[in-house]
């Protein structure tokens, strides 16, 4: 063998194995992400050429350009990357827990519940970012907690979680449909735009709490990831390896729901990233399990690219980014599936 | 997918239920449906007594009550039975076919295709009448499924490689694309949004005349195909290799299954709009009752799914009396609590 297919890293008592292909794929994805982020910072009604962007980052830019980049465009661009990664990790956790490629944080009803929360807030006359964020968090967390409690009996089983999740989500979907049908058209439309997921008008003050929450939860996930891999082998096997199965599953659910919650509170329920990014990552790396770092990079690139299109592709119209993510993610998944092996 | 382990585990308990008990249960289910049908004819914003309902059916005298029964309640009830059976049986088929409990009949792109066609009609072609929705939705549903199958077959190098997992993923991906375009078109224009929010709720009342006539044939054909598939699906439950060894023509079986699901779900969605919960959940509840034998699951679903739909529709007429709630909004509220009670009682094994 001339080139090793796996790199082994050692640092003190820790060691890790990284397949070569994962390194290459991650590098390429990082390139895509950086290019898309640069484009997001450059494009707009006030276009900033690349050399000026470099100058701005070097502290040499004009005042106006610096303001546009750091105050106007950076919050949205950074949020797109961080939130995309968060949704992808959340999806990877739930697909691992349920051992089902259709698993996603949606099965614990967070998105549906948060939409119900926001609809109630908007119907009650609440306006503005903080009202919707509060409504989304309260609705989503309450729903996830109820589903977990109803599904928990003699331990948490993936199958029962799925069924209870579908049952309660369906009821809340009905509530949402009912409110949407009954509400005044303008209010219903405003709620529906939020429900599609959008990064429009995002400021640092809105984005930072979400970004900090994602950072903390991702750190927790790094520590929980080895136990998650053991759980994929089955509860009994994991227990024999010394994993405390029920607390670990609860911790993973909390991290997964937390990641989705942080994103949804700020940007609304952006769909499909959580479902598609882990599956895309698995097909890109050709590994049996989902590589978390690759999934996160796929999610970040997907959301950044989608937001770029949502902002600029349709002149004069700003489409909610959630409507674009499903198109881009769906087309990409289709393309991967149509290629012959 | 290890999902298959679950129904298998239940078998150990339920195969001990003798066939005679199942026949009794089947008769109970039929009785439930009969009661629901009669109630659906009698109950509404104008309550009509049972003898009057009978008179209206056997000897109509042109009175208001008789007209209400014959012109409004009978078509509504017949459509409820047809759509319920179609959604339920297509759900049972698709779950057996993909061996995935998260699969619903919309997974092959039917709902997304129907919705997409209606949105395009409303937003771009200026369609505003409900009778124009039906052919659009049905065509959209058929085209979307055909596209899903074609894409799945293309990437797999021929029909032999069209595995259920592949179909699921292609279906999810294509549904996402169509859904994304639909939602963009809907959210950009308030008038389109206004039409779509009502279509999306799903209803079996106030359908344009001729609705039943135009979908009944497709639904009956779909049901017949489903029953033909039952035996082969049982063999497929043992794994593809075993099924082949038992003489099942796997490719033919898959195509039949897909055609049946598309006809059933497509026709029902075109007539009643997307009613989600029935197809996903009734087959689950039925499996806990019967075990994994499709020859029992399909008849039970055929009876219980329309029962759920009709009961939901009746409740929808009562809760905001004299107004009404669309049946698509009520089904989950009737079905979900029953489902949760059942799942908490079942000793479900790990997924």
């Amino acid at each position: 063998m001339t080139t090793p297919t796996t790199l082994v890293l050692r640092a003190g008592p820790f060691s890790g194995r990284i397949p070569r292909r994962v390194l290459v794929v991650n590098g390429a994805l990082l390139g895509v992400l950086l290019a898309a982020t640069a484009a997001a910072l450059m494009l707009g009604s006030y276009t900033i050429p690349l050399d000026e962007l470099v100058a701005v980052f070097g502290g040499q830019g004009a005042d106006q350009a610096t303001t546009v980049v750091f105050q106007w465009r950076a919050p949205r661009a950074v949020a797109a990357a961080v939130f995309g990664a968060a949704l992808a990790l959340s999806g990877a956790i739930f697909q691992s827990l349920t051992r089902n490629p259709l698993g996603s944080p949606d099965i614990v009803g967070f998105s549906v519940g948060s939409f119900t929360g926001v609809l109630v807030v908007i119907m009650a006359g609440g306006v503005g970012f903080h009202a919707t964020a509060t409504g989304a968090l309260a609705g989503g967390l309450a729903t996830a907690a109820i589903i977990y409690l109803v599904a928990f009996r003699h331990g948490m089983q993936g199958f029962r979680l799925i069924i209870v999740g579908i049952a309660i989500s369906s009821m809340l979907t009905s509530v949402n449909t009912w409110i949407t049908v009954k509400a005044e058209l303008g209010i219903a439309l405003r709620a529906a735009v939020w429900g599609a997921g959008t990064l429009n008008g995002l400021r640092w003050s809105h984005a930072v709490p979400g970004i900090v929450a994602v950072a903390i939860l991702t750190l927790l996930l790094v520590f929980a990831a080895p136990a998650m891999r053991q759980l994929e082998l089955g509860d009994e096997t994991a227990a024999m390896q010394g994993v405390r199965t029920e607390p670990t599953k609860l911790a993973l659910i909390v991290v997964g729901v937390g990641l989705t919650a942080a994103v949804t509170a700020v940007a609304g329920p952006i769909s499909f990233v959580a479902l598609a990014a882990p599956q895309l990552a698995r097909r890109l790396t050709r590994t049996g399990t989902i590589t978390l770092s690759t999934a996160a990079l796929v999610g970040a690139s997907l959301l950044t690219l989608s937001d770029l299109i949502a902002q600029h592709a349709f002149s004069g119209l700003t489409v909610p980014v959630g409507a674009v993510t499903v198109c881009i993610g769906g087309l990409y998944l289709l393309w991967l599936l149509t290629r012959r092996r | 997918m290890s999902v298959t382990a679950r129904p298998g585990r239940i078998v150990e308990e339920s195969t001990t239920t003798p066939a005679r008990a199942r026949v009794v249960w089947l008769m109970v289910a039929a009785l439930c449906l009969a009661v629901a049908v009669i109630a659906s004819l009698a109950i509404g914003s104008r309550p009509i007594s049972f003898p009057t309902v009978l008179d209206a059916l056997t000897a109509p005298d042109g009175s208001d009550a008789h007209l209400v029964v014959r012109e409004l309640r009978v078509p509504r009830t017949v459509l409820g039975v047809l759509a319920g059976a179609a959604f339920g049986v297509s759900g049972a088929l698709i779950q057996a076919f993909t061996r995935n409990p998260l699969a619903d009949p919309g997974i092959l792109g039917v709902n997304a295709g129907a919705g997409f066609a209606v949105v395009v009609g409303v937003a771009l072609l200026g369609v505003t009448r409900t009778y124009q929705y039906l052919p659009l939705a049905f065509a959209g549903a058929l085209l979307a499924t055909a596209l899903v199958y074609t894409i799945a077959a293309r990437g797999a190098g021929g029909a032999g490689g069209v595995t259920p997992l592949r179909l699921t993923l292609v279906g999810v991906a294509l549904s996402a694309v169509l859904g994304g375009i639909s939602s963009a078109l809907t959210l950009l224009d308030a008038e389109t949004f206004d039409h779509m929010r009502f279509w999306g709720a799903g209803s079996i009342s106030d359908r344009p005349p001729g609705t039943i006539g135009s979908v009944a044939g497709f639904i009956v054909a779909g049901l017949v195909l489903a029953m033909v598939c039952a035996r082969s699906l049982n063999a497929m439950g043992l794994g593809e290799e075993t099924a082949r060894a038992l003489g099942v023509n796997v490719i033919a079986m898959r195509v039949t299954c897909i055609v049946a699901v598309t006809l059933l779900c497509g026709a029902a969605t075109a007539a009643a709009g997307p009613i989600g919960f029935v197809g996903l959940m009734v087959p689950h509840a039925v499996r806990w009752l019967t075990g994994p034998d499709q020859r029992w699951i399909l008849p039970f679903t055929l009876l219980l799914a329309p029962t759920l739909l009709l009961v939901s529709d009746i409740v929808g007429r009562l809760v905001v009396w004299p107004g009404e709630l669309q049946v698509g909004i009520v089904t989950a509220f009737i079905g979900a609590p029953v489902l949760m009670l059942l799942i908490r009682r079942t000793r479900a094994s790990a997924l």
Side-chain angles (χ1 to χ4, degrees):
Chain A
M1 206 155 58
T2 46
T3 46
T5 54
T6 306
L7 298 179
V8 182
L9 306 175
R10 290 183 208 284
F14 301 103
S15 72
R17 295 155 52 83
I18 306 174
R20 223 181 138 75
R21 190 176 167 87
V22 171
L23 275 184
V24 174
V25 167
N26 283 5
L29 285 168
L30 199 61
V32 171
L33 177 61
L34 287 176
T37 306
L41 295 175
M42 284 153 62
L43 296 175
S45 51
Y46 177 88
T47 310
I48 294 171
L50 188 57
D51 52 345
E52 202 175 349
L53 186 69
V54 174
V56 166
F57 273 98
Q60 309 290 316
D63 282 352
Q64 196 186 356
T66 311
T67 309
V68 168
V69 170
F70 286 127
Q71 297 306 316
W72 295 6
R73 292 183 192 160
R76 184 169 185 160
V78 173
V82 172
F83 291 171
L87 291 171
L89 290 175
S90 182
I93 291 175
F94 278 96
Q95 290 179 8
S96 162
L97 273 179
T98 57
R99 290 170 212 142
N100 191 320
L102 293 183
S104 84
D106 291 343
I107 64 166
V108 292
F110 191 91
S111 306
V112 184
S114 66
F115 193 30
T116 311
V118 167
L119 277 170
V120 169
V121 164
I122 292 182
M123 289 297 286
V127 281
F129 177 79
H130 294 287
T132 45
T134 312
L137 273 184
L141 293 178
T143 309
I146 290 172
I147 289 177
Y148 183 82
L149 289 175
V150 174
F152 191 92
R153 190 172 190 200
H154 311 307
M156 171 56 60
Q157 279 143 357
F159 180 74
R160 193 185 289 146
L161 184 68
I162 287 176
I163 297 289
V164 173
I166 294 175
I168 292 181
S169 298
S170 312
M171 291 169 79
L172 285 174
T173 307
S174 294
V175 173
N176 295 350
T177 312
W178 181 60
I179 298 180
T180 308
V181 169
K182 290 287 160 202
E184 205 181 296
L185 181 57
I187 292 177
L189 187 54
R190 192 151 58 87
V193 169
W194 184 89
T198 174
L199 294 167
N200 283 347
L202 202 66
R203 294 276 161 270
W204 279 123
S205 58
H206 302 161
V208 165
I211 293 172
V212 170
V214 169
I216 295 170
L217 289 163
T218 307
L219 199 63
L220 289 178
L221 179 59
V222 170
F223 286 104
M228 186 171 100
R229 293 282 174 250
Q230 298 285 338
L231 278 176
E232 283 169 10
L233 303 172
D235 286 8
E236 283 86 358
T237 316
M240 273 198 308
Q241 301 280 349
V243 174
R244 295 167 62 222
T245 53
E246 290 309 320
T248 309
K249 282 190 222 170
L250 178 60
L252 285 169
I253 291 177
V254 167
V255 171
V257 170
L259 285 166
T260 305
V263 177
T264 310
V266 179
I270 299 170
S271 54
F272 205 63
V273 179
L275 190 71
Q279 290 299 319
L280 288 171
R282 205 169 64 80
R283 280 177 168 66
L284 285 172
T285 57
R286 294 185 195 153
T287 46
T289 55
I290 297 156
T291 313
L292 288 177
S293 56
T294 312
L297 282 168
V298 170
S301 311
L302 182 58
L303 195 57
T304 306
L305 281 173
S306 301
D307 197 40
L308 212 54
I309 293 170
Q311 282 187 84
H312 303 299
F314 313 95
S315 57
L317 297 169
T318 321
V319 181
V321 68
V324 182
T325 12
V326 290
C327 291
I328 305 293
L331 284 174
Y332 189 40
L333 192 53
L334 278 180
W335 179 72
L336 279 182
L337 287 165
T338 46
R339 282 190 321 169
R340 282 159 203 262
R341 289 269 169 81
Chain B
M1 259 161 288
S2 51
V3 176
T4 41
R6 199 206 59 84
R9 192 73 65 88
I10 304 296
V11 193
E12 290 162 21
E13 300 153 37
S14 48
T15 38
T16 53
T17 333
R20 190 190 293 173
R22 289 191 202 160
V23 172
V24 172
W25 277 112
L26 201 63
M27 282 155 73
V28 172
L31 194 68
C32 289
L33 179 59
V35 171
V37 166
I38 292 166
S40 171
L41 294 173
I43 298 171
S45 58
R46 170 175 179 164
I48 295 170
S49 69
F50 180 57
T52 319
V53 170
L54 270 188
D55 282 347
L57 295 177
T58 51
D61 60 7
S63 68
D64 278 0
H66 284 195
L67 278 177
V68 166
V69 170
R70 292 183 68 91
E71 301 297 319
L72 299 175
R73 303 245 172 105
V74 168
R76 183 175 186 164
T77 307
V78 171
L79 183 58
V81 172
L82 281 174
F87 282 126
V89 170
S90 59
L93 276 184
I94 198 73
Q95 282 173 10
F97 177 71
T98 62
R99 298 199 227 156
N100 193 323
L102 280 178
D104 71 70
I107 210 160
L108 296 176
V110 176
N111 288 348
F116 178 73
V118 174
V119 172
V120 168
V122 172
L124 305 179
L125 309 175
V127 168
T128 49
R129 308 261 172 204
T130 41
Y131 73 85
Q132 295 169 306
Y133 290 176
L134 195 147
L136 271 179
F138 196 41
L142 295 186
L143 280 177
T145 320
L147 202 56
V148 166
Y149 188 82
T150 315
I151 294 174
R154 204 183 115 79
V162 187
T163 58
L165 178 63
R166 236 189 132 70
L167 270 179
T168 306
L169 286 172
V170 173
V172 167
L174 190 77
S175 299
V177 176
L178 294 178
I181 301 172
S182 305
S183 96
L185 283 173
T186 311
L187 293 173
L188 286 174
D189 178 49
E191 203 181 320
T192 311
F193 176 78
D194 200 20
H195 282 286
M196 290 310 294
R197 64 176 173 159
F198 288 101
W199 187 78
S203 169
I204 53 173
S205 69
D206 298 328
R207 297 291 106 178
T211 296
I212 292 172
S214 36
V215 296
F218 295 110
I219 291 179
V220 170
L223 291 175
V224 170
L225 284 180
M227 299 306 158
V228 171
C229 284
R231 202 179 260 274
S232 318
L233 275 173
N234 279 346
M236 286 293 286
L238 302 170
E240 203 181 306
E241 299 299 315
T242 317
R244 253 197 204 106
L246 288 171
V248 175
N249 182 342
V250 173
I251 293 176
M253 202 273 315
R254 280 187 182 144
V255 173
T256 318
C257 237
I258 294 167
V259 171
V261 169
T262 312
L263 286 178
L264 290 169
C265 184
T269 307
I275 298 176
F277 189 77
V278 180
L280 193 56
M281 280 303 137
V282 173
H284 275 297
V286 165
R287 259 198 301 277
W288 295 325
L289 191 71
T290 62
D293 188 345
Q294 297 299 330
R295 287 170 304 172
W296 287 102
I297 293 174
L298 293 178
F300 268 101
T301 309
L302 187 67
L303 294 171
L304 288 177
T307 310
L308 173 64
L309 199 74
L310 284 183
V311 170
S312 307
D313 191 44
I314 295 164
V315 171
R317 299 176 211 170
L318 293 177
V319 279
V320 289
W321 195 87
E324 289 194 358
L325 278 182
Q326 283 93 335
V327 62
I329 295 175
V330 187
T331 35
F333 272 89
I334 306 293
V338 177
L339 189 75
M340 282 189 286
L341 268 178
L342 285 174
I343 182 82
R344 280 182 66 84
R345 286 183 50 198
T346 312
R347 286 193 299 126
S349 54
L351 187 67

